[in-house]
Amino acid sequence: MGHYCRICRCERPNEQFSGDSYKIHVCKRCKAKPKSERQATEDKDDIFGFLEQSHISEKNVARLEQMAKSDNPQVASLAAIVLDVARVKPYKTRRLKFLAQKHPELLGKLRDTGLILAHHW
Ligand SMILES: [Zn+2]
């Protein structure tokens, strides 16, 4: 039986985990990566997660605002897009239809970045 790593999102053998790496669900290989890289992965997880939620809350928006200023350009651009979505349509219900009608350019960005997939989960 392996153990799940939340950074690389795969099941790895138990020997790939040790001590606290087991507890925090991060395998040895990911633990060896620079912190900034791990942070970017977690940030992206959060961004995608917000779109999966039925509602993007005020608290989420505050977090998105922070991430939009990230040093990581990918995190910053994804956060900026979801921030725009949260501002015009915080609720998931009929979001895509609304965006298609009122903000097609934003919908285009969701498609281009793959963020739209999170919406469908
Ligand atoms: Zn890993």
Side-chain angles (χ1 to χ4, degrees):
M1 241 345 253
H3 193 70
Y4 181 76
C5 168
R6 69 190 166 94
I7 302 294
C8 56
R9 293 165 177 272
C10 41
E11 192 106 16
R12 299 204 171 274
N14 282 331
E15 57 267 25
Q16 275 295 316
F17 293 85
S18 65
D20 62 324
S21 108
Y22 209 108
K23 227 184 318 178
I24 58 174
H25 307 284
V26 178
C27 72
K28 278 184 193 165
R29 205 192 292 184
C30 291
K31 215 158 176 270
K33 286 182 188 169
K35 191 167 185 288
S36 59
E37 198 179 317
R38 277 194 282 148
Q39 185 63 50
T41 306
E42 292 189 28
D43 287 349
K44 277 185 264 174
D45 273 0
D46 280 354
I47 296 169
F48 277 80
F50 291 158
L51 278 180
E52 286 176 53
Q53 296 171 184
S54 58
H55 173 230
I56 302 172
S57 71
E58 292 283 317
K59 213 176 136 194
N60 299 155
V61 167
R63 171 103 169 92
L64 284 166
E65 279 169 347
Q66 272 188 343
M67 290 193 281
K69 292 179 217 149
S70 168
D71 293 334
N72 183 300
Q74 204 192 359
V75 168
S77 73
L78 290 174
I81 295 166
V82 177
L83 200 51
D84 282 347
V85 171
R87 281 182 178 140
V88 298
K89 195 88 175 77
Y91 289 89
K92 193 175 182 181
T93 316
R94 287 187 292 279
R95 182 184 280 149
L96 295 186
K97 203 176 167 196
F98 175 87
L99 291 178
Q101 286 171 350
K102 309 271 186 188
H103 303 276
E105 76 298 337
L106 199 48
L107 186 61
K109 285 186 202 168
L110 287 181
R111 283 215 181 91
D112 293 346
T113 53
L115 280 166
I116 202 161
L117 296 172
H119 181 94
H120 293 306
W121 287 335

